[in-house]
């Protein structure tokens, strides 16, 4: 029992040590850090802008209902260092998107990665690379 | 026996993990990494010219704000706890309540430009001034080096009023007054008054390395002077480095707010 407690304690310490730097000045408080959604969708816009770039895309469920999503990454300079450009994604692209969704259920999230029509997967939200 | 060893090992790990965690959150972590193995050329005399960046990008950009500061005065505590609503740091609020001036593209101001988003910046020296050209928000500061005194009763400016002098051949010291108290010190919402006095010390260690120390002296807001940067290491970038544009455009910020921040706040 004592060992189990210590294990949990260590895990909490490690989490504290790495979690502090993982936020931009807008913060990550609104996102569910324990949840990831994988969705297929059609790109409706890709905004290459400060303070954060973001992707807009539409998904369609089994009943044919369309949901409008938006998912953010970092600013253009940081994204350039990760190999992205303004032309990485284009309107109309069919993509597979992994997001960390909002806690409140809104159709917004942090864009963790996206698989492009050519099969290439781009890593999105990664504040460690600036 | 094995169980006892395992228990001891876990205890040691727990102490180490705890120590690292506390270090990350409480200690000003701007200690420079160990000296490089390749020896750099000697520093030129009285010269900071060039493009500089911090190799520790997380530290330079400081997402969590300054790690420690002197205790607040009652006025400082009131502003920090009741007026400024940051998106990060110990007093962070949900994104919809954040009133960080950067969100509407107000200037970061001085010295926030040194304490948050310190990305590459270029130093240009003339016979009477040192100019600092910052990539973030594409703004610049003038530091007079012609021997003039600081103004006695300056009008507040976003980037203050600065004079500098060489303390020795390798240490350039800048004094700044007259800052605008609408600006924050960092993204954690630490305030300052217009009576703040800031000292920057740029110590050129060798040709490739510079250390930046920033001291905040603001008796209206903090009970004693404190170091916001302590020998933050900066390295010289190649002379042909093409620094990138990083501008906060109000129309883009508004689009971000409408699309991302507002839905996130509901």
């Amino acid at each position: 029992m004592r060992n189990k407690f210590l294990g949990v304690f260590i895990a909490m310490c490690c989490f504290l040590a790495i979690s502090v730097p993982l936020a931009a000045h807008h913060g990550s408080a609104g996102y569910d850090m324990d949840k990831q959604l994988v969705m297929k969708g059609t790109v409706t816009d890709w905004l290459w802008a400060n303070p954060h770039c973001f992707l807009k895309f539409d998904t369609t469920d089994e009943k044919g209902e369309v949901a409008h999503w938006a998912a953010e990454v970092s600013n253009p300079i940081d994204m350039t260092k990760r190999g992205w450009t303004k032309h990485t994604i284009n309107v109309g692209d069919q993509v597979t998107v992994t997001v960390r969704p909002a806690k409140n259920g809104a159709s917004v999230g942090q864009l963790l990665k996206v698989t492009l029509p050519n099969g290439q997967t781009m890593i999105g939200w990664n504040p460690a690379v600036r | 026996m094995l169980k006892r060893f395992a228990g001891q090992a876990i205890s040691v790990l727990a102490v180490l993990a705890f120590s690292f965690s506390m270090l990350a959150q409480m200690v000003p972590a701007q200690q420079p990494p160990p000296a490089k193995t390749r020896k750099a050329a000697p520093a030129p005399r009285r010269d900071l010219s060039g493009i500089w960046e911090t190799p520790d990008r997380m530290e330079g950009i400081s997402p969590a704000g300054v790690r420690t500061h002197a205790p607040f005065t009652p006025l400082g505590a009131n502003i920090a706890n009741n007026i400024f609503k940051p998106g990060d740091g110990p007093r962070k609020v949900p994104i919809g309540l954040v009133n960080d001036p950067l969100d509407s593209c107000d200037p970061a101001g001085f010295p926030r430009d040194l304490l948050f988003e310190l990305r590459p910046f270029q130093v240009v020296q003339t016979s009477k001034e040192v100019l600092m050209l910052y990539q973030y928000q594409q703004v610049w500061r003038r530091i007079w080096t012609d021997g003039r005194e600081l103004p006695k009763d300056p009008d507040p400016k976003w980037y203050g009023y600065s004079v500098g002098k060489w303390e020795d051949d390798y240490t350039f010291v800048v004094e700044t007054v007259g800052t605008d108290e609408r600006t924050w010190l960092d993204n954690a919402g630490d305030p300052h008054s217009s009576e703040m006095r800031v000292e920057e010390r740029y110590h050129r260690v060798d040709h490739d390395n510079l250390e930046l120390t920033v001291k905040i002296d603001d008796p209206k807001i903090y009970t004693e002077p404190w170091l916001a940067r302590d020998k933050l290491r900066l390295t010289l970038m190649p002379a042909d480095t093409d620094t990138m544009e990083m501008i906060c455009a109000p129309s883009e910020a508004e689009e971000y707010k409408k699309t991302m921040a507002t839905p996130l706040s509901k």
Side-chain angles (χ1 to χ4, degrees), chain B:
Chain B
M1 181 63 167
L2 190 62
K3 199 170 178 181
R4 184 197 279 175
F5 173 76
Q8 287 172 342
I10 287 173
S11 300
V12 170
L13 279 172
V15 169
L16 280 175
F18 184 75
S19 303
F20 280 127
S21 172
M22 290 300 104
L23 271 174
Q25 293 175 77
M26 298 175 66
V27 177
Q30 289 97 2
Q31 297 303 321
K36 297 193 306 184
T37 49
R38 182 181 68 81
K39 192 174 180 184
R45 288 181 65 249
R46 301 191 175 217
D47 187 3
L48 298 180
S49 304
I51 302 171
W52 299 90
E53 71 165 352
T54 174
D56 182 348
R57 304 198 66 83
M58 293 305 287
E59 190 54 51
I61 293 169
S62 294
V66 295
R67 305 297 176 92
T68 59
H69 55 72
F72 288 128
T73 62
L75 174 63
N78 182 51
I79 296 171
N81 293 323
N82 301 316
I83 299 174
F84 289 0
K85 305 293 181 190
D88 264 314
R91 297 179 299 279
K92 72 179 176 185
V93 299
I95 191 167
L97 302 176
V98 171
N99 61 7
D100 189 331
L102 281 188
D103 286 1
S104 52
C105 299
D106 274 2
F110 179 83
R112 187 172 181 179
D113 59 346
L114 301 180
L115 308 183
F116 175 64
E117 294 279 8
L118 180 56
R119 293 170 184 269
F121 65 97
Q122 183 166 1
V123 180
V124 178
Q125 292 185 207
T126 76
S127 58
K128 62 179 189 301
E129 67 201 344
V130 170
L131 304 175
M132 299 221 173
L133 319 177
Y134 300 98
Q135 174 180 278
Y136 185 67
Q137 292 194 337
Q138 198 134 331
V139 295
W140 60 280
R141 291 170 61 210
R142 168 180 282 127
I143 299 162
W144 292 107
T145 54
D146 57 0
R148 73 180 65 192
E149 300 287 326
L150 285 169
K152 300 292 182 211
D153 186 22
D155 288 332
K157 291 164 62 176
W158 294 107
Y159 289 87
Y161 196 99
S162 304
V163 299
K165 64 180 180 184
W166 289 93
E167 187 176 86
D168 57 44
D169 284 346
Y170 306 105
T171 308
F172 183 63
V173 180
V174 183
E175 297 284 342
T176 299
V177 296
T179 52
D180 190 316
E181 61 191 20
R182 286 175 294 177
T183 63
W184 296 8
L185 285 187
D186 55 32
N187 50 318
D190 291 315
H192 70 85
S193 77
S194 58
E195 294 175 24
M196 171 176 62
R197 192 179 183 99
V198 182
E199 180 192 85
E200 300 158 83
R201 300 180 74 83
Y202 296 87
H203 176 63
R204 190 144 188 186
V205 178
D206 54 36
H207 183 272
D208 297 343
N209 293 282
L210 188 62
E211 289 174 348
L212 169 61
T213 298
V214 179
K215 185 169 77 176
I216 307 290
D217 186 2
D218 188 354
K220 278 183 75 174
I221 303 295
Y222 299 96
T223 56
E224 59 189 0
W226 53 283
L227 295 184
R229 292 282 196 205
D230 187 6
K231 296 181 180 174
L232 175 71
R233 185 173 160 224
L234 302 166
T235 54
L236 188 63
M237 298 176 77
D240 60 353
T241 298
D242 189 10
T243 52
M244 300 171 76
E245 184 181 77
M246 196 168 183
I247 292 174
C248 186
S251 60
E252 292 180 349
E254 187 58 34
E255 181 68 26
Y256 173 82
K257 186 177 178 184
K258 186 178 75 177
T259 305
M260 299 300 308
T262 302
L264 205 51
S265 314
K266 287 177 179 170

